[in-house]
Amino acid sequence: MAEQNRQVLLKRRPQGMPVPEDFAIADAPLPEPGADQVLLRGIYLSLDPYMRGRISGVRSYAKPVEIGDVIEGRVVGQVARSRHPDFREGEYAFGGYGWQLYSAVDGAGLQKLDPAEAPLSTALGVLGMPGFTAYLGLANIGQPQPGETVVVSAASGAVGAVAGQLAKRAGTRVVGIAGGPDKCRYVQEELGFDACLDHRAPDLGAALDSACPKGIDVYFENVGGAVQQAVFPRLNDFGRMVMCGMISEYNDTAPRPGPNLAAVVRKRLKIQGFIVSDQRHRHAEYRAVAAPLVREGLLKYREDIVEGIDSAPTAFIGLLQGRNFGKLLVRLAPDPTR
Ligand SMILES: NC(=O)c1ccc[n+]([C@@H]2O[C@H](COP(=O)([O-])OP(=O)(O)OC[C@H]3O[C@@H](n4cnc5c(N)ncnc54)[C@H](OP(=O)(O)O)[C@@H]3O)[C@@H](O)[C@H]2O)c1
């Protein structure tokens, strides 16, 4: 076991796109687990777009990370020491304890993982919060019907890949939007979307017109900005916008001008936001649907794994620029199950 902990702290609040200097990386003493706590040694750290909001200091649905704090994040790890009756050394567990190698966490806040059921890393991606987000957004808001057309942005990413595949399983025509030809090829050929459009290529609007000849019934919104502007006018009557995220606007320093919403009335559109944690009690329901599909290769996923805690800030900045290709994870230590 390493003698020391290592942590990534918030040094200052980013202005616009974060830069490496906004973060500090430092060694720290190994934490001592208290009564009913577990010392967890991290194996995979999840990097997710929502962390941009947490480090901005803006009031939101969750508490911000304060200057000098360890950056928040979910981790899959192995029990290094246990003072909790339900956990034994060597077991695998998952919890939210931030960008660091070790943490002493309450056993009550940890969830045990069985590596025989699914690869450990999937608890942070396809079977974890991002996959569950896709499931909830479609089930509660998108409600795709057979024969409809569903458009999914950030389609090769952790949420988008699952949203598109589930929509396809519901009998719809699914059109992805992703950045660059490699991601688009993957979305179409590997994930089985009917088409995938490159938002970096000129004239996304014309590309949508030819990929969605019957218009768009459901838009699973992950990026906002120019992509949203191209999709919105192409929504059909009674179209639904699943407002999951708008990553292209997370580094804005001023609010963008509001949209013209006249079409919402004319077309009877439904635009609804959601936060996955609102219905965290349904995660087991999602796992029961998704885990067998993953095992049978019917729900595909891709992971983009960077090495070592020190690479977390740069990898996170890359996520905000579209440099990740699949669910972005940091390997904190070798995975003994792989
Ligand atoms: N509502 C909720 O509870 C909830 C929960 C989880 C996630 N989310 C949201 O879901 C979205 C996707 O998250 P994820 O974890 O699946 O991330 P991800 O898709 O794995 O990674 C982010 C992707 O966003 C795209 N992107 C970044 N900057 C962009 C820009 N300026 N314009 C267009 N695309 C850009 C990039 O893909 P391309 O290269 O393809 O452009 C990038 O790879 C995010 O908006 C996130 O905030 C919401």
PDB file of all heavy atoms in Angstrom, residues 47-54 129-130 158-159 222 245-247 250 316 319-320 324 327:
ATOM      1  N   LEU A  47     -14.453  11.234 -14.114  1.00  0.00           N
ATOM      2  CA  LEU A  47     -14.464  12.674 -14.398  1.00  0.00           C
ATOM      3  C   LEU A  47     -15.743  12.972 -15.184  1.00  0.00           C
ATOM      4  O   LEU A  47     -16.011  12.324 -16.197  1.00  0.00           O
ATOM      5  CB  LEU A  47     -13.232  13.070 -15.207  1.00  0.00           C
ATOM      6  CG  LEU A  47     -11.888  12.865 -14.504  1.00  0.00           C
ATOM      7  CD1 LEU A  47     -10.739  13.338 -15.406  1.00  0.00           C
ATOM      8  CD2 LEU A  47     -11.829  13.586 -13.171  1.00  0.00           C
ATOM      9  N   ASP A  48     -16.507  13.925 -14.706  1.00  0.00           N
ATOM     10  CA  ASP A  48     -17.829  14.194 -15.292  1.00  0.00           C
ATOM     11  C   ASP A  48     -18.034  15.690 -15.485  1.00  0.00           C
ATOM     12  O   ASP A  48     -17.550  16.502 -14.684  1.00  0.00           O
ATOM     13  CB  ASP A  48     -18.922  13.676 -14.345  1.00  0.00           C
ATOM     14  CG  ASP A  48     -18.875  12.173 -14.169  1.00  0.00           C
ATOM     15  OD1 ASP A  48     -19.479  11.474 -14.990  1.00  0.00           O
ATOM     16  OD2 ASP A  48     -18.211  11.695 -13.235  1.00  0.00           O
ATOM     17  N   PRO A  49     -18.822  16.053 -16.525  1.00  0.00           N
ATOM     18  CA  PRO A  49     -19.045  17.477 -16.807  1.00  0.00           C
ATOM     19  C   PRO A  49     -19.613  18.266 -15.628  1.00  0.00           C
ATOM     20  O   PRO A  49     -19.327  19.451 -15.481  1.00  0.00           O
ATOM     21  CB  PRO A  49     -20.035  17.458 -17.972  1.00  0.00           C
ATOM     22  CG  PRO A  49     -19.834  16.129 -18.637  1.00  0.00           C
ATOM     23  CD  PRO A  49     -19.440  15.181 -17.553  1.00  0.00           C
ATOM     24  N   TYR A  50     -20.430  17.623 -14.763  1.00  0.00           N
ATOM     25  CA  TYR A  50     -21.069  18.388 -13.684  1.00  0.00           C
ATOM     26  C   TYR A  50     -20.045  19.027 -12.741  1.00  0.00           C
ATOM     27  O   TYR A  50     -20.343  19.997 -12.052  1.00  0.00           O
ATOM     28  CB  TYR A  50     -22.041  17.504 -12.883  1.00  0.00           C
ATOM     29  CG  TYR A  50     -21.379  16.545 -11.920  1.00  0.00           C
ATOM     30  CD1 TYR A  50     -21.036  16.956 -10.635  1.00  0.00           C
ATOM     31  CD2 TYR A  50     -21.077  15.236 -12.285  1.00  0.00           C
ATOM     32  CE1 TYR A  50     -20.413  16.087  -9.748  1.00  0.00           C
ATOM     33  CE2 TYR A  50     -20.460  14.364 -11.412  1.00  0.00           C
ATOM     34  CZ  TYR A  50     -20.122  14.797 -10.136  1.00  0.00           C
ATOM     35  OH  TYR A  50     -19.485  13.947  -9.267  1.00  0.00           O
ATOM     36  N   MET A  51     -18.822  18.496 -12.742  1.00  0.00           N
ATOM     37  CA  MET A  51     -17.807  19.038 -11.835  1.00  0.00           C
ATOM     38  C   MET A  51     -17.448  20.485 -12.189  1.00  0.00           C
ATOM     39  O   MET A  51     -16.989  21.234 -11.339  1.00  0.00           O
ATOM     40  CB  MET A  51     -16.542  18.182 -11.901  1.00  0.00           C
ATOM     41  CG  MET A  51     -16.775  16.796 -11.349  1.00  0.00           C
ATOM     42  SD  MET A  51     -15.506  15.648 -11.872  1.00  0.00           S
ATOM     43  CE  MET A  51     -16.061  14.178 -10.997  1.00  0.00           C
ATOM     44  N   ARG A  52     -17.682  20.860 -13.448  1.00  0.00           N
ATOM     45  CA  ARG A  52     -17.407  22.249 -13.844  1.00  0.00           C
ATOM     46  C   ARG A  52     -18.290  23.197 -13.041  1.00  0.00           C
ATOM     47  O   ARG A  52     -17.855  24.262 -12.610  1.00  0.00           O
ATOM     48  CB  ARG A  52     -17.621  22.436 -15.356  1.00  0.00           C
ATOM     49  CG  ARG A  52     -17.371  23.863 -15.846  1.00  0.00           C
ATOM     50  CD  ARG A  52     -15.931  24.281 -15.635  1.00  0.00           C
ATOM     51  NE  ARG A  52     -15.690  25.677 -15.960  1.00  0.00           N
ATOM     52  CZ  ARG A  52     -15.835  26.681 -15.079  1.00  0.00           C
ATOM     53  NH1 ARG A  52     -16.272  26.445 -13.851  1.00  0.00           N
ATOM     54  NH2 ARG A  52     -15.562  27.921 -15.451  1.00  0.00           N
ATOM     55  N   GLY A  53     -19.543  22.789 -12.837  1.00  0.00           N
ATOM     56  CA  GLY A  53     -20.463  23.610 -12.040  1.00  0.00           C
ATOM     57  C   GLY A  53     -20.036  23.658 -10.583  1.00  0.00           C
ATOM     58  O   GLY A  53     -20.079  24.716  -9.943  1.00  0.00           O
ATOM     59  N   ARG A  54     -19.591  22.538 -10.054  1.00  0.00           N
ATOM     60  CA  ARG A  54     -19.225  22.473  -8.634  1.00  0.00           C
ATOM     61  C   ARG A  54     -18.036  23.385  -8.299  1.00  0.00           C
ATOM     62  O   ARG A  54     -17.940  23.902  -7.207  1.00  0.00           O
ATOM     63  CB  ARG A  54     -18.837  21.053  -8.228  1.00  0.00           C
ATOM     64  CG  ARG A  54     -19.922  20.052  -8.365  1.00  0.00           C
ATOM     65  CD  ARG A  54     -20.959  20.214  -7.246  1.00  0.00           C
ATOM     66  NE  ARG A  54     -21.678  18.969  -7.088  1.00  0.00           N
ATOM     67  CZ  ARG A  54     -22.632  18.540  -7.895  1.00  0.00           C
ATOM     68  NH1 ARG A  54     -23.023  19.279  -8.912  1.00  0.00           N
ATOM     69  NH2 ARG A  54     -23.224  17.370  -7.695  1.00  0.00           N
ATOM     70  N   MET A 129     -23.915   6.357 -12.890  1.00  0.00           N
ATOM     71  CA  MET A 129     -24.684   7.594 -13.001  1.00  0.00           C
ATOM     72  C   MET A 129     -24.956   8.012 -14.461  1.00  0.00           C
ATOM     73  O   MET A 129     -26.100   8.341 -14.794  1.00  0.00           O
ATOM     74  CB  MET A 129     -23.946   8.690 -12.207  1.00  0.00           C
ATOM     75  CG  MET A 129     -24.623  10.014 -12.174  1.00  0.00           C
ATOM     76  SD  MET A 129     -24.297  11.007 -13.635  1.00  0.00           S
ATOM     77  CE  MET A 129     -22.649  11.617 -13.337  1.00  0.00           C
ATOM     78  N   PRO A 130     -23.952   7.979 -15.368  1.00  0.00           N
ATOM     79  CA  PRO A 130     -24.258   8.448 -16.733  1.00  0.00           C
ATOM     80  C   PRO A 130     -25.290   7.583 -17.458  1.00  0.00           C
ATOM     81  O   PRO A 130     -26.222   8.106 -18.081  1.00  0.00           O
ATOM     82  CB  PRO A 130     -22.893   8.396 -17.438  1.00  0.00           C
ATOM     83  CG  PRO A 130     -21.882   8.471 -16.321  1.00  0.00           C
ATOM     84  CD  PRO A 130     -22.497   7.724 -15.176  1.00  0.00           C
ATOM     85  N   ALA A 158     -20.589   9.273 -22.438  1.00  0.00           N
ATOM     86  CA  ALA A 158     -21.094   8.335 -21.443  1.00  0.00           C
ATOM     87  C   ALA A 158     -22.629   8.305 -21.420  1.00  0.00           C
ATOM     88  O   ALA A 158     -23.240   7.234 -21.401  1.00  0.00           O
ATOM     89  CB  ALA A 158     -20.547   8.722 -20.076  1.00  0.00           C
ATOM     90  N   VAL A 159     -23.249   9.467 -21.438  1.00  0.00           N
ATOM     91  CA  VAL A 159     -24.715   9.536 -21.404  1.00  0.00           C
ATOM     92  C   VAL A 159     -25.293   9.282 -22.801  1.00  0.00           C
ATOM     93  O   VAL A 159     -26.197   8.461 -22.978  1.00  0.00           O
ATOM     94  CB  VAL A 159     -25.191  10.912 -20.889  1.00  0.00           C
ATOM     95  CG1 VAL A 159     -26.713  11.015 -20.945  1.00  0.00           C
ATOM     96  CG2 VAL A 159     -24.704  11.168 -19.468  1.00  0.00           C
ATOM     97  N   ASN A 222     -27.505  17.305 -24.712  1.00  0.00           N
ATOM     98  CA  ASN A 222     -26.319  17.210 -23.858  1.00  0.00           C
ATOM     99  C   ASN A 222     -25.370  18.383 -24.016  1.00  0.00           C
ATOM    100  O   ASN A 222     -24.455  18.531 -23.201  1.00  0.00           O
ATOM    101  CB  ASN A 222     -25.533  15.924 -24.182  1.00  0.00           C
ATOM    102  CG  ASN A 222     -26.182  14.685 -23.613  1.00  0.00           C
ATOM    103  OD1 ASN A 222     -26.688  14.717 -22.488  1.00  0.00           O
ATOM    104  ND2 ASN A 222     -26.176  13.604 -24.364  1.00  0.00           N
ATOM    105  N   GLY A 245     -28.145  18.273 -20.265  1.00  0.00           N
ATOM    106  CA  GLY A 245     -26.971  19.111 -19.986  1.00  0.00           C
ATOM    107  C   GLY A 245     -26.657  19.992 -21.174  1.00  0.00           C
ATOM    108  O   GLY A 245     -27.156  19.770 -22.281  1.00  0.00           O
ATOM    109  N   MET A 246     -25.830  21.028 -20.943  1.00  0.00           N
ATOM    110  CA  MET A 246     -25.462  21.936 -22.030  1.00  0.00           C
ATOM    111  C   MET A 246     -23.970  22.258 -21.896  1.00  0.00           C
ATOM    112  O   MET A 246     -23.575  23.394 -21.635  1.00  0.00           O
ATOM    113  CB  MET A 246     -26.316  23.202 -21.979  1.00  0.00           C
ATOM    114  CG  MET A 246     -27.817  22.891 -22.005  1.00  0.00           C
ATOM    115  SD  MET A 246     -28.807  24.070 -22.891  1.00  0.00           S
ATOM    116  CE  MET A 246     -28.628  25.513 -21.897  1.00  0.00           C
ATOM    117  N   ILE A 247     -23.173  21.232 -22.100  1.00  0.00           N
ATOM    118  CA  ILE A 247     -21.737  21.331 -21.797  1.00  0.00           C
ATOM    119  C   ILE A 247     -21.044  22.448 -22.577  1.00  0.00           C
ATOM    120  O   ILE A 247     -20.093  23.043 -22.070  1.00  0.00           O
ATOM    121  CB  ILE A 247     -21.031  19.967 -22.019  1.00  0.00           C
ATOM    122  CG1 ILE A 247     -19.620  19.974 -21.430  1.00  0.00           C
ATOM    123  CG2 ILE A 247     -21.037  19.540 -23.476  1.00  0.00           C
ATOM    124  CD1 ILE A 247     -18.957  18.615 -21.354  1.00  0.00           C
ATOM    125  N   TYR A 250     -20.857  25.574 -20.380  1.00  0.00           N
ATOM    126  CA  TYR A 250     -20.434  25.527 -18.973  1.00  0.00           C
ATOM    127  C   TYR A 250     -19.294  26.501 -18.653  1.00  0.00           C
ATOM    128  O   TYR A 250     -19.078  26.832 -17.498  1.00  0.00           O
ATOM    129  CB  TYR A 250     -20.007  24.108 -18.570  1.00  0.00           C
ATOM    130  CG  TYR A 250     -21.145  23.103 -18.504  1.00  0.00           C
ATOM    131  CD1 TYR A 250     -20.903  21.764 -18.258  1.00  0.00           C
ATOM    132  CD2 TYR A 250     -22.474  23.494 -18.686  1.00  0.00           C
ATOM    133  CE1 TYR A 250     -21.934  20.835 -18.203  1.00  0.00           C
ATOM    134  CE2 TYR A 250     -23.506  22.570 -18.649  1.00  0.00           C
ATOM    135  CZ  TYR A 250     -23.226  21.244 -18.406  1.00  0.00           C
ATOM    136  OH  TYR A 250     -24.246  20.319 -18.362  1.00  0.00           O
ATOM    137  N   PHE A 316      -9.727  16.459 -17.319  1.00  0.00           N
ATOM    138  CA  PHE A 316     -11.011  17.126 -17.096  1.00  0.00           C
ATOM    139  C   PHE A 316     -11.178  18.312 -18.059  1.00  0.00           C
ATOM    140  O   PHE A 316     -12.246  18.513 -18.644  1.00  0.00           O
ATOM    141  CB  PHE A 316     -11.107  17.592 -15.640  1.00  0.00           C
ATOM    142  CG  PHE A 316     -12.362  18.356 -15.345  1.00  0.00           C
ATOM    143  CD1 PHE A 316     -13.601  17.754 -15.441  1.00  0.00           C
ATOM    144  CD2 PHE A 316     -12.301  19.698 -14.988  1.00  0.00           C
ATOM    145  CE1 PHE A 316     -14.768  18.458 -15.190  1.00  0.00           C
ATOM    146  CE2 PHE A 316     -13.463  20.414 -14.729  1.00  0.00           C
ATOM    147  CZ  PHE A 316     -14.703  19.791 -14.831  1.00  0.00           C
ATOM    148  N   LEU A 319     -12.159  17.071 -21.350  1.00  0.00           N
ATOM    149  CA  LEU A 319     -13.583  16.684 -21.416  1.00  0.00           C
ATOM    150  C   LEU A 319     -14.437  17.879 -21.850  1.00  0.00           C
ATOM    151  O   LEU A 319     -15.409  17.741 -22.600  1.00  0.00           O
ATOM    152  CB  LEU A 319     -14.019  16.207 -20.028  1.00  0.00           C
ATOM    153  CG  LEU A 319     -15.476  15.842 -19.791  1.00  0.00           C
ATOM    154  CD1 LEU A 319     -15.762  14.434 -20.305  1.00  0.00           C
ATOM    155  CD2 LEU A 319     -15.827  15.905 -18.318  1.00  0.00           C
ATOM    156  N   LEU A 320     -14.063  19.050 -21.375  1.00  0.00           N
ATOM    157  CA  LEU A 320     -14.826  20.262 -21.703  1.00  0.00           C
ATOM    158  C   LEU A 320     -14.518  20.755 -23.114  1.00  0.00           C
ATOM    159  O   LEU A 320     -15.129  21.698 -23.596  1.00  0.00           O
ATOM    160  CB  LEU A 320     -14.519  21.361 -20.675  1.00  0.00           C
ATOM    161  CG  LEU A 320     -14.898  21.024 -19.227  1.00  0.00           C
ATOM    162  CD1 LEU A 320     -14.325  22.033 -18.252  1.00  0.00           C
ATOM    163  CD2 LEU A 320     -16.417  20.928 -19.063  1.00  0.00           C
ATOM    164  N   ASN A 324     -12.080  13.766 -24.853  1.00  0.00           N
ATOM    165  CA  ASN A 324     -12.339  12.376 -24.438  1.00  0.00           C
ATOM    166  C   ASN A 324     -13.123  11.660 -25.529  1.00  0.00           C
ATOM    167  O   ASN A 324     -13.890  12.281 -26.270  1.00  0.00           O
ATOM    168  CB  ASN A 324     -13.126  12.351 -23.123  1.00  0.00           C
ATOM    169  CG  ASN A 324     -14.515  12.940 -23.290  1.00  0.00           C
ATOM    170  OD1 ASN A 324     -14.655  14.064 -23.790  1.00  0.00           O
ATOM    171  ND2 ASN A 324     -15.541  12.213 -22.904  1.00  0.00           N
ATOM    172  N   LYS A 327     -16.521   7.223 -21.961  1.00  0.00           N
ATOM    173  CA  LYS A 327     -16.588   7.598 -20.535  1.00  0.00           C
ATOM    174  C   LYS A 327     -15.179   7.866 -20.013  1.00  0.00           C
ATOM    175  O   LYS A 327     -14.330   7.001 -20.033  1.00  0.00           O
ATOM    176  CB  LYS A 327     -17.251   6.454 -19.747  1.00  0.00           C
ATOM    177  CG  LYS A 327     -17.184   6.621 -18.252  1.00  0.00           C
ATOM    178  CD  LYS A 327     -18.035   7.793 -17.779  1.00  0.00           C
ATOM    179  CE  LYS A 327     -17.632   8.251 -16.395  1.00  0.00           C
ATOM    180  NZ  LYS A 327     -17.251   9.663 -16.316  1.00  0.00           N
TER     181      LYS A 327
END
